[in-house]
Amino acid sequence: KMSRLRARKNLIAKDGLDGTGKSSGLRVVEEYLKENFPDTKLNLAEGWSFNAFCADVRAVMMKHKNEVSHNVLYNLFRAIWTDAWEKHGYMVGLGKEFLLTDRWLLSTGVYQDIDDSKTSNLISATNAVPGLTILLTASADVARARIEATRKLDNFEKEYFQAHPKLQDRFIKKLPDFTGESVIIDTDTLTQEEVAVKIKLALDKYFGK
């Protein structure tokens, strides 16, 4: 498959639906890479959760949700990721730097891409498939409760939770097509500490430790 041919060892993605513990899991990967590869530069392409530009864009999208198409969302993500790869891809491809991402190809394949054409275009634009994707999953009730424990669901999350089982199934089925190696961690009954242990074990295996 294309993903096997173009997978980049030092490109690592975290993915999953909201409420699965993705953001905290991303920090576990970040800490692991800094601890185990202190002499290798770590670059972040963090999507909505931590990127200030994306936070501003998301705020606008919340206000104008009904006017925002999936094509607009795809083009926004495409701009973020191609920019990250243009900045860091050469050194990451050589194995001299890491690029850690909050979502990459898989989310595009799940949310905006029925026939995989957009994802194929994104692969062509970046020539970059993650060497490893860590997918976190959770049932709809658990994921929703986690979010609502700290804030109200936003408009997009309300829409996604209506289709949660279908979307999560798409994440799992599409995962092998858009990454080199992958691991799925079901976080339903796990504490953050237990999820962190599983992520670190997956990274140990990936890096042959």
Side-chain angles (χ1 to χ4, degrees):
K1 290 184 179 181
M2 188 182 334
S3 62
R4 304 300 184 207
L5 296 175
R6 298 185 177 182
R8 306 300 183 122
K9 180 77 174 181
N10 282 23
L11 173 59
I12 299 175
K14 281 286 288 72
D15 221 320
L17 290 167
D18 293 331
T20 58
K22 186 165 56 63
S23 297
S24 57
L26 188 77
R27 290 311 188 205
V28 174
V29 181
E30 180 183 6
E31 291 170 4
Y32 178 96
L33 294 176
K34 287 180 177 178
E35 179 180 345
N36 288 273
F37 303 93
D39 298 325
T40 305
K41 183 180 178 181
L42 173 59
N43 307 291
L44 303 175
E46 299 173 297
W48 298 127
S49 299
F50 306 101
N51 183 292
F53 168 75
C54 291
D56 291 341
V57 172
R58 185 182 180 94
V60 173
M61 289 169 56
M62 291 301 102
K63 184 176 180 180
H64 300 284
K65 176 183 177 299
N66 294 333
E67 304 163 38
V68 178
S69 71
H70 283 293
N71 279 333
V72 170
L73 290 173
Y74 162 72
N75 284 317
L76 284 169
F77 279 117
R78 186 179 189 276
I80 294 165
W81 293 331
T82 54
D83 178 67
W85 193 249
E86 285 175 0
K87 290 176 179 175
H88 309 297
Y90 178 71
M91 296 299 286
V92 172
L94 292 178
K96 296 183 177 182
E97 295 182 3
F98 284 106
L99 180 59
L100 173 60
T101 80
D102 175 14
R103 305 190 187 278
W104 195 253
L105 302 172
L106 182 59
S107 284
T108 296
V110 170
Y111 289 127
Q112 287 101 34
D113 202 357
I114 300 302
D115 61 2
D116 296 342
S117 61
K118 290 184 175 65
T119 315
S120 295
N121 289 338
L122 188 55
I123 292 173
S124 298
T126 60
N127 193 28
V129 170
L132 174 67
T133 297
I134 300 173
L135 174 64
L136 300 186
T137 64
S139 64
D141 290 343
V142 170
R144 184 166 190 148
R146 286 173 179 164
I147 295 173
E148 292 182 328
T150 58
R151 59 175 176 79
K152 293 182 179 180
L153 296 179
D154 65 39
N155 293 333
F156 285 96
E157 288 166 338
K158 289 177 182 177
E159 178 182 312
Y160 293 152
F161 271 110
Q162 291 177 359
H164 182 280
K166 179 180 178 181
L167 288 172
Q168 184 146 278
D169 185 57
R170 280 172 63 81
F171 265 110
I172 294 169
K173 287 183 176 179
K174 283 179 172 285
L175 178 61
D177 294 331
F178 299 132
T179 189
E181 298 181 30
S182 64
V183 61
I184 300 174
I185 300 174
D186 186 342
T187 67
D188 255 13
T189 61
L190 302 178
T191 64
Q192 283 191 2
E193 291 75 17
E194 290 169 332
V195 172
V197 169
K198 286 184 175 291
I199 290 173
K200 291 174 183 177
L201 287 173
L203 290 167
D204 278 345
K205 181 179 180 181
Y206 179 64
F207 288 110
K209 291 186 174 290

